[in-house]
Amino acid sequence: MAERGTVTTVVESAAVVTLDPHRREFTTGHVVVQGNQIVAVGAGPAPAYEGARVVDGRGCVVTPGFVNTHQHLYQWVTRGLVPDAGLFRWLTTLYPAWAGIDEESVHVAATGALGQLALTGCTTAFDHHYVFPRDGGDLLGAEIRAAAEVGLRFHPSRGSMDLSEKDGGLPPDSVVQDRDEILLATEAAIDRWHDPSFGSMLQVAVAPCSPFSVTTELLREAAGLARRRGVRLHTHLAETTDESAWCADRFSCTPAEYAESVGWLGPDVWFAHGIHFTDADLKQLASTGTGVAHCPSSNARLGAGIARTADLRAAGVPVGLGVDGAASNEAGSLLEELRHAVLFARARGGPESLTVRAALEMATLEGARLLGRSHEIGSLEPGKLADLALWRLDTLPHAGITDPVAALVLGAPPPLQLLLVNGQPVVENNHLVRVDESAVATQVARTQQALLAKAG
Ligand code: ZN
């Protein structure tokens, strides 16, 4: 228990949704934070702690901070392009613009994208970065700097592409790299940045881009490297019927069977999208503990389909949520993904397919599980890290809705009163605390314009 006088923040008189093992919820309760950890959660008022900041949570609900399990931060400066195409045409149109990214543009894009994630309840962000132009500079370093500036817990990945058009892949030659160069750079990123300790603000994953942009050899060797170094593995899988056809044609199997053949199933692996899985695929994923990052908005934007969220969960597959890159989800709002997950699951499978509380669980605990952090984040419990969101539900869009989870998931995005990451405020009164939002907006617009001019 906390010593009196050492408590730093007390959230008082809020509805509390804990996501603890008993899924306790309090109509009026408190959360007590000491340093970077939660030390007490309960009903009614908290004891008085001398010197602590007391946050009045009346009219609000406090939830665990959200975990974003799939994103491409650099895409924040290529938004609104190719608004009406499917994945393969969208990709081949955007590759030339992405070939021009560098440290500065990635830093600006990451600041914008991470800022929007924070404003929509995200406290831990994963990023899948796989475009490394020859003279691009230190792109992972640029996004890591942005995450520290915005204040989020960050899981960047060293992604890659080594299968270009000339070898039957989708990307042009200018954006792919040599396999040995990729593996060396990936290991160097782990050496430089990966911090596995409790409370870590920075952990690195290994993340080749997708079956149709990466060689079989790279997938195999990337899995070997990740396991040797004890880090997690991520890639896109089963996103479109084009990809299923590509795998059938080239390997005579489904994308999931292909992943299995190269050692890519296990509790340390999670796939983005996972829309076109067969029943047999679901069983394999569940039995191996392999996870899925569900990205409903991006999937709808590209007309890729609706993932079998209810079936995945019923089979026992861990499913988190992701906004995906902003070039295919201009909103970049993690809160919106909860709503879309519920709506699309029900549109596909009927009214009982996904509850509002299941969507909240996917955005918090399940996302934490995909990143290997569920012992540290994803619920409000004593001993866990102080990553929490305090949402205001007493204004026009939500006033009168008595179930705070229904208000949060089904209603309009509510004002975010407070976002704590590692015990520190990142959002207050619906604004970022540490970076100037309007300055970032100006830089984003200027950077996008320059990038498009460079691409011709
Ligand atoms: Zn993606």
Side-chain angles (χ1 to χ4, degrees), residues 243-299:
E243 179 193 331
S244 299
W246 191 90
C247 280
D249 193 40
R250 208 170 160 106
F251 306 112
S252 307
C253 62
T254 70
E257 288 164 353
Y258 177 51
E260 182 180 20
S261 75
V262 290
W264 268 73
L265 293 184
D268 55 345
V269 181
W270 84 108
F271 297 124
H273 307 303
I275 300 172
H276 302 285
F277 285 139
T278 64
D279 289 345
D281 292 339
L282 294 196
K283 278 196 190 123
Q284 261 313 78
L285 293 168
S287 69
T288 54
T290 311
V292 170
H294 177 39
C295 306
S297 301
S298 169
N299 298 158

Side-chain angles (χ1 to χ4, degrees), residues 158 182-192 225 228-229:
R158 207 316 178 165
I182 289 166
L183 292 165
L184 278 174
T186 305
E187 186 137 29
I190 297 167
D191 286 337
R192 184 170 168 198
L225 168 62
R228 181 160 56 76
R229 297 301 306 263

Side-chain angles (χ1 to χ4, degrees), residues 99-113:
I101 59 172
D102 58 16
E103 266 180 50
E104 196 187 335
S105 54
V106 167
H107 178 256
V108 169
T111 308

Side-chain angles (χ1 to χ4, degrees), residues 70 72 128 236 239 272-273 324-325:
H70 185 68
H72 314 287
H128 187 182
H236 294 100
E239 182 174 2
H273 307 303
D324 203 359

Side-chain angles (χ1 to χ4, degrees), residues 307-364:
R308 301 171 62 186
T309 323
D311 295 339
L312 284 160
R313 284 175 56 85
V317 177
V319 183
L321 294 179
V323 298
D324 203 359
S328 64
N329 177 7
E330 279 74 2
S333 158
L334 193 47
L335 179 60
E336 194 171 81
E337 299 308 313
L338 281 77
R339 184 162 183 263
H340 286 170
V342 168
L343 298 183
F344 296 165
R346 292 182 190 175
R348 181 187 172 113
E352 288 169 13
S353 300
L354 198 72
T355 66
V356 292
R357 282 171 174 75
L360 184 61
E361 187 169 304
M362 288 159 68
T364 55

